[in-house]
Amino acid sequence: QMIAVGKALQTVLDTRLRSGREMLAELLNAGEIRKLDSLIGKSAKEGKLDMSFWTVLGMNMKDAAMNEGDGSGSTLSPTLAAGEGQEA
């Protein structure tokens, strides 16, 4: 039973983190500040800026700080890339 509960919990967490990655990717691809502002307002009203979004944002900020100045030339953080099935 504990294995089944663990698998169910993992599925829920994966789904939520995926939605957080998708929201962050959408915001990062906004292109211009007015569009970004509009997307943030709309997402907040729809409740999309939930804990999963903030978790993914925090992970990406940590990745960016760790990779700053490493010369990798990557424009996509490892956390966001993992969600998109890419290598950073």
Side-chain angles (χ1 to χ4, degrees):
Q1 277 183 328
M2 291 302 287
I3 293 172
V5 170
K7 286 182 181 181
L9 181 59
Q10 185 65 42
T11 300
V12 169
L13 292 175
D14 286 346
T15 301
R16 290 196 174 196
L17 286 178
R18 187 178 313 113
S19 71
R21 283 190 298 264
E22 290 168 358
M23 175 53 50
L24 180 58
E26 184 178 341
L27 293 176
L28 291 173
N29 290 324
E32 63 178 65
I33 194 71
R34 289 179 195 251
K35 186 174 179 183
L36 176 62
D37 183 55
S38 174
L39 283 172
I40 291 171
K42 180 180 176 188
S43 298
K45 286 179 186 175
E46 294 175 355
K48 291 183 179 178
L49 301 183
D50 57 6
M51 194 61 188
S52 62
F53 167 77
W54 295 108
T55 299
V56 171
L57 179 62
M59 291 166 61
N60 275 271
M61 291 174 66
K62 182 179 176 183
D63 288 344
M66 289 174 47
N67 292 329
E68 189 173 279
D70 70 356
S72 69
S74 177
T75 58
L76 193 59
S77 82
T79 303
L80 193 56
E84 296 182 359
Q86 302 176 10
E87 288 187 31

